[in-house]
């Protein structure tokens, strides 16, 4: 796939396809935050392709080449793939006996003035984890019983769930479970046992329930200023938009996500999410002064965005001389090596201040490091000292169901040792 990259000088910041100019009301370095991020003098952007440009399928977190490699390694009992495989097949969600539990209204932010009914989003994160894990088992074994079990879950949700409800947290439900459902569907799209009508209904479900939520949040931020919400809110919505664009063969949706990640005015823009770069090795996250639980979530979500784009031929991993690599090194050094890192005070658009780096939830464990480590260190041959330490500390990575019953253990689909090892 041919890409057209071009160089911009930072004289004007762009948002949602509209160029700002003199008299636009925006300062030349205005990124929607009160703490101006450290930006490179020039930025090379990844261009978007025409709306009729075809997608690669499967082409989200995993490609067909990935599955061919994984299957070969598992079948020949090679480490660490076999350890990752054993971790997957031991998970209770990865069993053909799993029974879906869909809801007509997915609620996150319930028991509130916006939605008096209680939360039920655990039903979604458990079911989508099961669908994804079963889809992986089908791809590697060729046993259709796993595909059938996964499709029962996806069909049940597509035929039952009509809306997302709650307070502002609906954006998290729309983003996190949106990208996860789309990834499960993308893996199963070529299964002959998934009826065309049912697949069409699933894609419509993804557009009507999830994409509509993602787009509304990214374009309005629920009426707040541009940095009111933390980076993980924007990024989960972007991961979902991108995934749904690929799943539904809608290049415009995918392009919107690619554009926003590079030029959007919110915190999901990579230059706002990773807001300070320190030399050639470390970079700070916008949430570093908040807590480390959310900093590690930032790593997981940006990993999803970059990996999904990579499988469509877009190298977001490499933006600004591997800015994401430096930010991952920063989080791993602080949370896994337990060493000090530099920090620049952060203030958002409403005056919320984080004057020092937070040690709250320091050492949070998430199954996210193998994706980053294998891409940069194994794939590109780049130095990743602290990321390598982090990857080894959680190997073999599990997934939803292996890290406790709460939502944090399901925010990432996981199983990176099996899926990303090189």
């Amino acid at each position: 796939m041919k890409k057209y990259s071009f160089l911009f000088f930072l004289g004007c910041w762009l948002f949602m396809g509209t160029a700002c100019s003199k008299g636009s009301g925006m300062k030349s370095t205005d990124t929607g935050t009160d703490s101006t991020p450290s930006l490179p003098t020039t930025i090379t952007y990844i261009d978007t392709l025409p709306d009729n440009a075809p997608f690669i399928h499967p082409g989200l977190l995993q490609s067909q080449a990935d599955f061919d490699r994984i299957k070969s390694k598992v079948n020949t009992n090679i480490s660490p793939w076999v350890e990752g495989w054993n971790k997957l097949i031991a998970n209770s969600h990865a069993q053909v006996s799993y029974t879906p539990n869909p809801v007509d209204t997915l609620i996150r932010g319930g028991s509130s003035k916006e939605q008096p009914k209680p939360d039920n989003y655990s039903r979604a994160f458990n079911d989508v984890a099961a669908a994804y894990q079963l889809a992986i088992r089908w791809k590697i074994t060729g046993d259709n019983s796993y595909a059938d079990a996964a499709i029962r879950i996806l069909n049940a949700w597509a035929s039952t769930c009509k809306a997302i409800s709650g307070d502002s947290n609906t954006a998290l439900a729309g983003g996190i479970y949106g990208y996860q459902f789309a990834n499960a569907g993308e893996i199963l799209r070529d299964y002959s046992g998934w009826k065309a009508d049912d697949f069409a209904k699933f894609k419509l479900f993804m557009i009507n329930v999830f994409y509509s939520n993602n787009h509304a949040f990214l374009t309005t931020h629920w009426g707040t200023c541009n940095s009111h919400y933390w980076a993980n809110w924007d990024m989960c919505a972007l991961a979902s938009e991108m995934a749904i664009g690929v799943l539904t063969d809608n290049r415009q949706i995918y392009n919107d996500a690619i554009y926003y990640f590079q030029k959007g005015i919110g915190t999901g823009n990579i230059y706002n999410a990773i807001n300070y770069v320190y030399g050639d090795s470390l970079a700070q996250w916008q949430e570093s002064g908040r807590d480390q639980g959310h900093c590690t979530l930032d790593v997981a979500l940006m990993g999803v965005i970059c990996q999904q784009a990579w499988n469509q031929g877009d190298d977001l991993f490499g933006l600004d001389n591997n800015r994401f690599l430096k930010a991952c090194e920063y989080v791993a050094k602080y949370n896994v090596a337990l060493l000090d890192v530099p920090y620049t005070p952060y203030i958002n658009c409403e005056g919320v201040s984080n004057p020092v780096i937070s040690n709250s939830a320091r050492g949070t464990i998430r199954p996210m490091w193998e994706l980053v480590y294998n891409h940069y260190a194994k794939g590109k041959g780049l130095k990743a000292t602290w990321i390598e330490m982090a990857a080894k500390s959680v190997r073999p990575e599990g997934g939803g169901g292996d890290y406790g019953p709460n939502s944090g253990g399901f925010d990432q689909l996981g199983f990176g040792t099996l899926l990303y090892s090189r």
Side-chain angles (χ1 to χ4, degrees), residues 274 277-285 320-331 376 387:
I274 303 171
V277 176
Y278 303 100
D280 295 328
S281 60
L282 299 175
Q284 173 181 315
W285 288 91
D320 189 30
N321 192 26
N322 304 300
R323 192 178 184 103
F324 180 42
L325 167 63
K326 298 169 189 175
C328 292
E329 283 281 86
Y330 183 97
V331 172
Y376 285 117
I387 295 170

Side-chain angles (χ1 to χ4, degrees), residues 400-421:
D402 290 320
Y403 299 92
N406 299 321
S407 60
F410 291 81
D411 288 339
Q412 48 286 306
L413 290 165
F415 298 103
T417 306
L418 172 66
L419 299 174
Y420 304 113
S421 290

Side-chain angles (χ1 to χ4, degrees), residues 4-338:
Y4 301 91
S5 298
F6 44 94
L7 196 65
F8 284 83
F9 288 89
L10 282 179
C12 183
W13 201 246
L14 304 180
F15 174 55
M16 299 304 287
T18 303
C20 46
S21 60
K22 291 182 179 179
S24 67
M26 292 187 70
K27 297 178 182 178
S28 62
T29 56
D30 184 359
T31 58
T33 63
D34 291 343
S35 293
T36 302
S38 60
L39 296 169
T41 304
T42 59
I43 302 175
T44 301
Y45 292 113
I46 293 175
D47 200 2
T48 52
L49 295 182
D51 289 351
N52 62 352
F55 286 105
I56 299 166
H57 296 297
L60 288 176
L61 287 175
Q62 284 79 46
S63 67
Q64 187 56 49
D66 292 330
F67 287 121
D68 292 343
R69 179 190 70 252
I70 296 161
K71 185 173 182 177
S72 173
K73 299 297 186 181
V74 170
N75 287 345
T76 50
N77 208 41
I78 296 176
S79 181
W81 292 269
V82 68
E83 289 84 1
W85 173 249
N86 289 336
K87 189 74 171 180
L88 170 67
I89 65 177
N91 192 296
S92 63
H93 293 71
Q95 311 307 316
V96 295
S97 58
Y98 187 91
T99 302
N101 295 283
V103 294
D104 59 354
T105 301
L106 173 57
I107 301 173
R108 182 159 181 167
S111 301
S112 62
K113 64 180 181 180
E114 294 87 354
Q115 173 53 263
K117 293 181 180 179
D119 286 338
N120 60 17
Y121 63 94
S122 64
R123 306 264 285 271
F125 67 62
N126 277 284
D127 280 9
V128 71
Y132 179 75
Q133 292 173 31
L134 287 161
I136 297 292
R137 290 194 73 170
W138 167 65
K139 271 292 189 180
I140 295 175
T141 65
D143 185 337
N144 289 347
S145 67
Y146 296 115
D148 291 337
I151 286 169
R152 282 197 297 272
I153 298 169
L154 301 187
N155 285 348
W157 276 87
S159 63
T160 304
C161 185
K162 302 297 188 277
I164 301 173
S165 182
D167 59 16
S168 62
N169 285 277
T170 56
L172 297 176
I176 295 171
Y177 315 131
Y179 93 76
Q180 294 180 346
F181 270 113
N183 268 274
E186 177 70 7
I187 294 170
L188 292 157
R189 67 181 302 129
D190 62 347
Y191 175 52
S192 60
W194 199 358
K195 296 178 182 179
D197 285 349
D198 287 337
F199 183 44
K201 290 176 183 176
F202 179 74
K203 289 188 287 185
L204 191 61
F205 159 67
M206 294 304 302
I207 291 288
N208 290 343
V209 175
F210 290 100
Y211 169 69
S212 61
N213 175 279
N214 307 148
H215 184 69
F217 175 72
L218 289 171
T219 55
T220 70
H221 289 115
W222 305 153
T224 64
C225 59
N226 295 316
S227 60
H228 170 85
Y229 289 99
W230 298 98
N232 75 88
W233 290 65
D234 264 23
M235 285 195 292
C236 70
L238 290 173
S240 181
E241 273 203 346
M242 178 185 291
I244 292 169
V246 174
L247 176 76
T248 62
D249 287 297
N250 190 316
R251 176 67 64 173
Q252 185 175 359
I253 292 176
Y254 177 86
N255 283 350
D256 283 349
I258 292 290
Y259 187 95
Y260 191 105
F261 185 73
Q262 300 175 95
K263 305 178 187 179
I265 204 166
T267 55
N269 175 321
I270 185 173
Y271 301 102
N272 292 339
I274 303 171
N275 59 347
Y276 285 95
V277 176
Y278 303 100
D280 295 328
S281 60
L282 299 175
Q284 173 181 315
W285 288 91
Q286 181 246 10
E287 302 201 57
S288 296
R290 182 189 184 192
D291 64 67
Q292 298 309 307
H294 287 95
C295 270
T296 51
L297 177 57
D298 290 338
V299 171
L301 291 172
M302 192 170 287
V304 169
I305 292 169
C306 291
Q307 180 70 13
Q308 291 179 158
W310 179 259
N311 280 329
Q312 293 300 326
D314 292 319
D315 186 12
L316 300 183
F317 282 108
L319 284 177
D320 189 30
N321 192 26
N322 304 300
R323 192 178 184 103
F324 180 42
L325 167 63
K326 298 169 189 175
C328 292
E329 283 281 86
Y330 183 97
V331 172
K333 185 175 183 179
Y334 189 67
N335 283 273
V336 181
L338 300 178

Side-chain angles (χ1 to χ4, degrees), residues 355-403:
V356 298
I357 192 169
S358 175
N359 63 7
S360 175
R362 191 176 186 182
T364 292
I365 296 173
R366 293 182 185 271
M368 64 188 189
W369 292 113
E370 292 280 29
L371 185 159
V372 179
Y373 169 68
N374 281 283
H375 180 86
Y376 285 117
K378 294 296 188 69
K380 291 187 173 179
L382 299 174
K383 184 178 180 181
T385 303
W386 310 115
I387 295 170
E388 181 177 8
M389 178 185 292
K392 289 179 178 178
S393 73
V394 295
R395 190 173 293 157
E397 283 184 355
D402 290 320
Y403 299 92

